[in-house]
Amino acid sequence: MKTKFTKETYLYWYELMLLLRRFEEKTGQLYGMQKIRGFCHLYIGQEAIAAGAITATKPEDKFITAYRDHALAIAKGISAKACMAELYGKATGCSKGKGGSMHFFSKEHGFFGGHGIVGAQIGTGAGLALAEQYKGTDNVVLCFFGDGAARQGILHETFNMAMTWKLPVIFICENNRYAMGTSVERTSNVLDIYKLADAYEMPADSIDGMKCEDVHEGIGRAVKRARENGGPTLLEIKTYRYRGHSMSDPAKYRTKEELEEYKEQDPITSVLNLIVKNNWATEAELEAISERVKAEVEECVTFAEESPWPDDDELLKDVYVQEDYPFIVD
């Protein structure tokens, strides 16, 4: 079966998505054991977006997202060990154990959060793009947000500014249909979120977020436009989360039939079937990938378990850029 993408790309997508799935499954298990505390939002079901976004961009491009951030952080290059340690609140975490699940961050890997305030990253994403434009690079910024954040006022202010200044930013709405527990249909008359771009004459598109190929191509077109000084794009990537909004959400607002219908479109299964159909990997090679992923997840848990807690003197560090900022300490 002929495809637009190479065997290597499909094998990369498969292993990456499998790692993201297994990491999130283990995270959910550890949360139930109270090893991980606080808020925790899993990405299970949405892995094709992370996979397609990575192959459509270059390492120098910047990512910024909301609190459902584990998978995008790992895809961007932050190690599973640093991510799991952050979930545990350990000093070896990607945010020194002080951010937790919702605030992954790595300047080194071009991953700028992890934001707990709904929609806050939309404005910050445009700011990152302004910085790249100012510095004269050809880097672009991928700014991810959910369908709930699309209702925030900051989106409109940012869209207007981004179009006026032709900023190299791709706004990506990961529409998983339910903002916390409220369906898109109950929050707006505009059910096609990508149409919000029309008010600003911003290029926009709707993409199937269960297919790596569609995600890659859609983001690729927007990235090309941004690199050629064509300004921003809004992409509504339609996806689905298999778990609740967060670990505390029983997801009773949707039917079991609806969930099963989306699971039949599972991006990992889809890519695996194509690999098998094209004889791109033997059963032994696929098993080796599975074992590799399993070992990586087990290693990251051991690393997190054995890592030290942050020292007490870390409490007031990283709060202000100015090291001698005159804050008051009792």
Side-chain angles (χ1 to χ4, degrees), residues 82-96:
C83 290
M84 187 59 78
E86 188 59 40
L87 289 171
Y88 268 66
K90 296 297 185 74
T92 52
C94 57
S95 297
K96 302 183 183 179

Side-chain angles (χ1 to χ4, degrees), residues 41 75 95 190 233 255-256 285:
H41 307 80
S95 297
V190 181
T233 301
T255 65
K256 289 180 181 178
E285 287 168 335

Side-chain angles (χ1 to χ4, degrees), residues 139-214:
N139 299 336
V140 303
V141 175
L142 268 59
C143 177
F144 299 84
F145 56 94
D147 45 284
R151 314 307 176 199
Q152 294 284 29
I154 193 172
L155 176 140
H156 299 279
E157 298 175 30
T158 304
F159 278 15
N160 185 59
M161 191 174 287
M163 278 301 292
T164 301
W165 292 344
K166 293 291 181 286
L167 298 180
V169 55
I170 294 99
F171 297 106
I172 296 176
C173 177
E174 295 181 284
N175 181 3
N176 59 28
R177 294 193 55 186
Y178 297 99
M180 293 187 71
T182 306
S183 67
V184 172
E185 291 83 1
R186 292 184 63 194
T187 60
S188 175
N189 288 322
V190 181
L191 303 185
D192 294 316
I193 293 173
Y194 74 96
K195 291 180 180 177
L196 293 176
D198 291 350
Y200 306 95
E201 297 187 0
M202 183 190 295
D205 202 359
S206 177
I207 294 167
D208 184 350
M210 305 303 276
K211 296 179 180 175
C212 295
E213 300 92 337
D214 290 12

Side-chain angles (χ1 to χ4, degrees), residues 19 79-81 291-301:
L19 172 61
S79 73
K81 287 182 178 179
E291 287 300 315
R292 228 174 12 246
V293 165
K294 182 180 177 182
E296 186 169 353
V297 172
E298 287 176 352
E299 285 169 13
C300 77
V301 175

Side-chain angles (χ1 to χ4, degrees), residues 42-59:
L42 303 181
Y43 205 74
I44 296 172
Q46 302 184 201
E47 295 89 353
I49 300 179
I54 288 299
T55 51
T57 54
K58 62 181 184 178

